[in-house]
Amino acid sequence: MFKHSVFLLPLFLQVLHSAAVAQKKEPFALRISCGAREDVRTDPTNTLWFKDFAYTGGRPGNASLTNRIVPPLKTLRFFPLSDGPENCYTINRVPSGHYWVRVFFALVEGSNLENEPLFDISVEGTQVYSLKSGWTSSDELPFAEALVFVTDHSVLVCFHSTGHGDPSILSIEILQVDENAYKSGPQWGKGTILRTAKRLTCGSGKPAFDEDYSGNHWGGDRFWSGIQTLGQGYDKHKSVENTIKRVSIPPNFYPEKLYQSAIFSTDSQPDLSFSMEVDPNKNYSIWLHFAEIESGITSVGQRVFDILINGDIAFKNVDIIHNTGDRYSALVLNKTVVVSGRTLTVTMKPMKGSRAIVNAIEVFEVIVTESITSPEEVRALQTLKNSLGLPVRFGWNGDPCVPQQHPWSGVDCQFSRNSGKWVIDGLGLDNQGLKGFLPDDISRLRHLQNINLSGNSIYGAIPFSLGTISGLETLDLSYNFLNGSIPESLGQLTSLRRLDLNGNFLSGRVPVTLGGRPLHRASFNFTGNAGLCGVPGLRSCGPHLSTGSKIGIALGALGALILIVICSTCWWKRRQNILRAQNPTAREAHYAKARTHFVRDVQMTRPRVHDQSRPLADDEPRLLS
């Protein structure tokens, strides 16, 4: 009784887990039809693909489909090298969780099939795939797929030119899966990415997606490449219609159809072996799927086999019926191994009975995620990109430092162990035709040691904030159009060993803290600035006055002038009053004269009336009536 209780407890917990998952809302799913201006639905599953709007740059075009398994979409987006070597889709508003990120490729309509574009793909700053030659004629090569954790509500998918044609993208899918999907090994977690290297359904011979198999949406709509032989010539395949138990169990949710077909070894060659080419010295996670579907095997002990990976025993005495408790019941085994060579071989070796069996195989490369660049410094570089009018050919999209195979042009990176992130320690953008100004935000690149922006058309003032980058050793701003004075703050850069400001339009006195630095093994160059003074090689200048002092002197002089005018006016009026007080005659005469003038003015305003009673003189005019 006790034994049965122990056996039933795991099944009971699985039933509870399955019921809880069934009550969960549908997983997040976003499918983008690249280059499309409207939403699209595709047969046979009526799948919805969203239009491609505001995710990236590049150019839309018509698609030429080269493969029967790619989505039947009519448009794509391609990225000419003239638009920059790095181009990214930034997909926001993605809930935190665990996701398949899958990218399909196609050719631009009218392209020559012999000139396939070859490029690299990165997800969240980690390179996951390099497109291989021949992808246009393969079922497995025209897409890249990786299982990643999303923690910041956004997914960054980038395409990196390698000089072999322009990246051309047909579609991008972001498909949520269970938080613990494909949990494997000590390295598993948010610091790793699983890149799909191989996924096979054995026996059916037909490629299919989970959707074609009516699989649970939490499986993520995986693509299965169908095979009927492992290539040995002595194996055989079988398919059944029986119901398979334990198939869609969290966290991996495999479809039932996957276990209704299998490949078997034969009596003449009992070992069943699968081999594939891999990159050496990498970790690979191998997932093997089994179900006992052969009618002749009905009980425990009738089929027992070991599983070897590159000759080493990974699983010993595997008995499917014993492990699952029944026929027609799914068994999933996982092992993560280091492969030192270029071949990965999985062998099912019978130990009891005469034949081996396998229903499906999955192989993933385990990739350690790259540490990203400090977000503050990325924002500072984007501000610098805009203010300097960086040419389109630079790109500067995605992460400046990762993947390490594709850093931004003109940017030097260094890993900071203190923060666990990459930081920017150098800018080399000399003679690049930059036309803009230096923003104050450049000081947010606080780990800079070297700046070379010489030979451009940068105008405006040198930011005072440059003096706060304490580790700066080289600053070359020569042969630009900088004006104004040299900030006093540059004198605080105690590590500065080379300063080139020659060939600009700077003016004023060179700060004293810089003028004496050449005595301490530093190389400073201020020549070619007609308005500068104060160091050997430049014109001499008078007493040094700061801007504040000059303003104070000007205001003081203006105030003194106003005071002199007021005092002079008051003195003159007072003098006039004293003179009048000392000369009463003049004062009376003055008032008498004033009265006389007043009387005369009044009389002049009155009308003249002639006396009619007196006789008129001979020379007086007479009025005629």
Side-chain angles (χ1 to χ4, degrees), residues 503-517:
N504 282 284
F505 295 89
L506 300 170
S507 59
R509 181 187 290 272
V510 175
V512 175
T513 49
L514 291 175
R517 193 72 65 82

Side-chain angles (χ1 to χ4, degrees), residues 334-520:
N334 164 248
K335 184 74 172 180
T336 300
V337 298
V338 179
V339 180
S340 57
R342 292 188 171 275
T343 303
L344 171 64
T345 301
V346 180
T347 303
M348 278 63 69
K349 187 178 185 65
M351 302 304 294
K352 190 174 182 181
S354 59
R355 295 184 298 172
I357 183 176
V358 64
N359 298 74
I361 300 172
E362 294 177 284
V363 179
F364 303 97
E365 180 187 346
V366 182
I367 303 173
V368 178
T369 56
E370 294 265 18
S371 298
I372 63 172
T373 305
S374 163
E376 180 184 14
E377 300 207 359
V378 175
R379 289 191 293 269
L381 282 178
Q382 291 291 359
T383 300
L384 190 69
K385 170 185 175 180
N386 295 331
S387 63
L388 290 180
L390 206 69
V392 176
R393 57 185 166 80
F394 273 83
W396 276 29
N397 298 305
D399 191 296
C401 302
V402 293
Q404 293 183 54
Q405 300 93 327
H406 299 282
W408 286 3
S409 178
V411 175
D412 296 328
C413 300
Q414 184 179 45
F415 185 73
S416 170
R417 297 190 180 276
N418 293 332
S419 65
K421 292 181 172 60
W422 291 90
V423 296
I424 311 304
D425 69 346
L427 288 175
L429 296 170
D430 52 305
N431 299 297
Q432 296 299 331
L434 308 182
K435 297 178 181 179
F437 63 93
L438 289 176
D440 288 333
D441 277 2
I442 194 172
S443 63
R444 289 161 58 191
L445 300 170
R446 54 192 180 89
H447 298 90
L448 279 174
Q449 298 178 23
N450 303 287
I451 300 176
N452 187 353
L453 300 174
S454 62
N456 290 293
S457 299
I458 302 172
Y459 56 83
I462 299 174
F464 183 89
S465 62
L466 270 178
T468 64
I469 307 176
S470 59
L472 198 59
E473 298 177 359
T474 301
L475 177 60
D476 190 347
L477 303 177
S478 59
Y479 300 107
N480 280 287
F481 294 91
L482 298 169
N483 55 31
S485 60
I486 300 175
E488 296 276 356
S489 62
L490 296 188
Q492 302 171 10
L493 299 175
T494 56
S495 299
L496 197 60
R497 292 293 175 265
R498 180 184 165 202
L499 176 63
D500 289 327
L501 300 178
N502 49 302
N504 282 284
F505 295 89
L506 300 170
S507 59
R509 181 187 290 272
V510 175
V512 175
T513 49
L514 291 175
R517 193 72 65 82
L519 299 176
H520 301 283

Side-chain angles (χ1 to χ4, degrees), residues 209-226:
F209 289 89
D210 280 359
E211 188 77 19
D212 301 321
Y213 282 159
S214 300
N216 190 301
H217 289 176
W218 282 97
D221 198 22
R222 292 154 294 200
F223 171 73
W224 300 87
S225 181

Side-chain angles (χ1 to χ4, degrees), residues 65 79 109 180 205-206 261 266 316 338 369 389 468 477-478 536 579 601:
L65 303 182
F79 301 97
E109 190 174 60
N180 292 309
K206 297 178 180 179
S261 63
T266 61
K316 192 171 181 61
V338 179
T369 56
T468 64
L477 303 177
S478 59
L579 291 176
D601 292 340

